[in-house]
Amino acid sequence: MTPADFTNDLLIGWGGGDVFSQALGLANRGSVITAEWDDVDHVISGKVSGPTGYPMDVSLEVLDDGTIISHCPCRMNQMYGQVCPHVVALGIHQMVSYMPDDVEEDVADTPEEAA
């Protein structure tokens, strides 16, 4: 599985609808500073602006079944072991970067239509 195979439903499955919505907001605001896909290890790593604006090192490993192992220094991930919006924002960023240009516009319009 690569980011080209990601769907909104897959990413919602990682952390739930609320986390996905928060992650979409982060991605739309440009909070994902860098993101890189490692095709050998199936890992996305990058930097995401944290709540204080400080860049956090965030990564996730995509398993064969589409689930992930997430790594983020935020409280939600560290204290509670939950997939956080920072990790999902990396996934959204990579999903969009692997889409053809004409599809990106449709994804960007989705939140407004749902609201």
Side-chain angles (χ1 to χ4, degrees), residues 54-70:
Y54 182 77
M56 301 184 302
D57 291 323
V58 179
S59 67
L60 63 110
E61 178 182 355
V62 181
L63 305 177
D64 291 338
D65 64 357
T67 59
I68 62 168
I69 299 172
S70 66

Side-chain angles (χ1 to χ4, degrees), residues 33-52:
I33 301 165
T34 62
E36 186 174 311
W37 170 250
D38 181 327
D39 204 30
V40 174
D41 293 327
H42 298 139
V43 171
I44 300 172
S45 56
K47 292 193 183 296
V48 177
S49 290
T52 62

